[in-house]
Amino acid sequence: MNILDIAIILAYFVGMIVLGLYANRKQSNVDDYYLGGRSMGSIKLGALWMAGWIGGSSVIGTSSNGYSMGITAVWYVLSIALGCMIFAFTMAKPIKRVSNELNNITFPELIRYRYDTKNSVMSSITTILAMIGYTAAQFVAGASILHVLTGWGLGTCYILAAVVIVFYVSTGGLLAVTYTDMIQMALLLVGVVFLAVPICIHTLSESGVTLAQALPESYFNLGSWGWSTILALGLSTILSFFTSMDSFTRCIAAKDTRSAKVGTIYAAVAVLVIAGASTYLGMAGKVILPELSSSNNVLAQLVVTIFPHGLKGLILVGVLSAIMSTADISVLTGSASLTKDIYQQFINPNASEKTIMHMGIVCSVIVGVLGAVFGWFSQDIINILLITFTINSAGLFLPTVGAFFWKRSCSAGAFASMVSAIVVTVIWLIGGKVTDLSIFSIDALWPALAVSAVLYFAICLTHKQTEEELQQAERFYAAGKSECN
């Protein structure tokens, strides 16, 4: 890459930092920092949704799998689009309605109001762990891209990506995330869909080959990834929409229930476009650059090899945008849970608004650093995501949906579901590392979800709820059904 391309990338990083500082000047309270003042319209929410789920894992991971396996790589992003659409029609409005009643900020606050403190603590732990995992995946993807396109050391690239993201998120909060995400999603669509795909099509056309001619038949088999893995990843991805705190944050930040729903639908449609583009680029990369040492580098190498100067910088900035836009909301979401659900709830309940704001900045840095450390030691993007999705979805899905739609859902059943899923997942992951038993070849999602479901339903159906529990459930259920905006 020449100086023009590197200048474009560095200008992008500087711009993100400036936006973070600008957003910092417009914040006056915790609602502004974590929810953007609860005033987000459909377009802004659509950008936040798309930015949150279409990150390095989606663009880099999908193109990488497209390079290695072919069209079957599309399943991960298709699962995101499906999850987004299902969530829009089932949960967006109830979440916004309940948040209007509670004036809450985080997902664990909803869990505490519906159940009790111990369930809130468990949901906080899984939320923070998941957000650290999501952040780590994006840092790995960002470092890989920067390393290939600049030639700088991988460690230097990793630190640069992490520092910039953590800085503008910690200083600017959700306003900074919103400003940057709208720009980042525009850059992503221009770079990946409107520039990268046509240039690859032109390159293949000039060489006189097509994907069908150059790639083996297995590359056009939708199930070649393995249906067990496809189903586990797809189901855990969809379930994660219902249990990821950032899903709740976007709905709570909406200005009304309609915006909460419509913004989510906008994102689902845009995600489908990215799914096709990323998969195609990976498959085209296999034809154009068949001998890559790492499939994770396919997109960056394509850009470096066949794109003209100037466009290289613009397209890679689009890919970096996808990475950073997911990392920033993950950092902010983990920070919100750490600040509100741990620090304010148990350490300093009487903390002033100013103290909570300052603590939010500190917690954003903590989550970012922990994500960076995790990503440093685990470089497999899709594997990181599968682990975090499993931990986050298996135990929280049933208690969360039950909170909104089943009055018999009780605190004891919810707690058993959460704890058992985490324990089973950890046992499965350790067992797969230290033994050769065939049972551990099964994806951890299935046993974790099965055990948590059995315990949840068994306890909820046999537990005799007290009058206080019944009243608490009724208040929450009524709030979710209210027709207020």
Side-chain angles (χ1 to χ4, degrees), residues 12 43 46-51 54-55 58-59 77 180-199 266-278 281 299 307 311 313-323 325:
Y12 167 74
I43 300 298
L48 283 172
W49 269 109
M50 185 178 170
I54 299 299
S58 303
V59 178
V77 187
T180 55
D181 281 359
M182 293 184 73
I183 294 172
Q184 288 164 343
M185 288 303 97
L187 289 170
L188 173 64
L189 288 170
V190 170
V192 172
V193 178
F194 299 116
L195 290 177
V197 170
I199 288 176
Y266 285 166
V269 174
V271 164
L272 289 173
V273 177
I274 299 298
S278 299
L281 290 173
L299 195 50
F307 287 43
L311 280 184
L314 286 175
I315 293 170
L316 267 300
V317 160
V319 178
L320 281 171
S321 295
I323 294 164
S325 62

Side-chain angles (χ1 to χ4, degrees), residues 177-254:
V177 170
T178 304
Y179 295 152
T180 55
D181 281 359
M182 293 184 73
I183 294 172
Q184 288 164 343
M185 288 303 97
L187 289 170
L188 173 64
L189 288 170
V190 170
V192 172
V193 178
F194 299 116
L195 290 177
V197 170
I199 288 176
C200 281
I201 291 173
H202 177 71
T203 300
L204 289 174
S205 176
E206 281 198 328
S207 64
V209 299
T210 65
L211 295 184
Q213 294 170 336
L215 295 175
E217 186 177 343
S218 63
Y219 269 64
F220 300 92
N221 179 1
L222 278 170
S224 62
W225 196 350
W227 285 112
S228 175
T229 299
I230 292 170
L231 289 172
L233 183 60
L235 182 59
S236 62
T237 301
I238 293 170
L239 296 187
S240 288
F241 274 86
F242 294 79
T243 58
S244 292
M245 186 174 134
D246 55 325
S247 299
F248 288 73
T249 298
R250 296 182 189 99
C251 296
I252 296 168

Side-chain angles (χ1 to χ4, degrees), residues 374-439:
F374 181 29
W376 185 272
F377 291 102
S378 181
Q379 297 289 306
D380 187 331
I381 297 170
I382 296 297
N383 190 49
I384 292 173
L385 287 164
L386 185 56
I387 293 170
T388 53
F389 282 160
T390 300
I391 290 175
N392 201 40
S393 61
L396 286 178
F397 177 72
L398 291 172
T400 301
V401 174
F404 284 90
F405 302 110
W406 193 35
K407 292 181 183 179
R408 287 194 64 91
S409 184
C410 67
S411 173
F415 187 72
S417 175
M418 295 180 195
V419 173
S420 63
I422 293 175
V423 171
V424 171
T425 299
V426 171
I427 289 174
W428 231 254
L429 293 174
I430 294 175
K433 296 288 185 181
V434 302
T435 75
D436 294 325
L437 294 176
S438 59
I439 190 172

Side-chain angles (χ1 to χ4, degrees), residues 97-181:
R97 289 165 180 162
V98 172
S99 73
N100 284 341
E101 295 289 326
L102 304 184
N103 197 36
N104 67 296
I105 287 178
T106 70
F107 167 64
E109 286 179 305
L110 289 176
I111 294 296
R112 182 169 64 250
Y113 184 83
R114 175 60 176 85
Y115 298 119
D116 55 23
T117 300
K118 68 177 182 292
N119 279 286
S120 175
V121 171
M122 286 304 304
S123 63
S124 296
I125 292 171
T126 56
T127 292
I128 293 168
L129 289 176
M131 292 306 117
I132 290 171
Y134 297 154
T135 301
Q138 309 317 313
F139 286 169
V140 171
S144 174
I145 284 288
L146 280 175
H147 171 62
V148 171
L149 64 91
T150 64
W152 300 337
L154 187 60
T156 300
C157 294
Y158 192 89
I159 292 170
L160 177 61
V163 168
V164 172
I165 292 168
V166 172
F167 180 85
Y168 78 73
V169 173
S170 61
T171 55
L174 190 67
L175 284 176
V177 170
T178 304
Y179 295 152
T180 55
D181 281 359

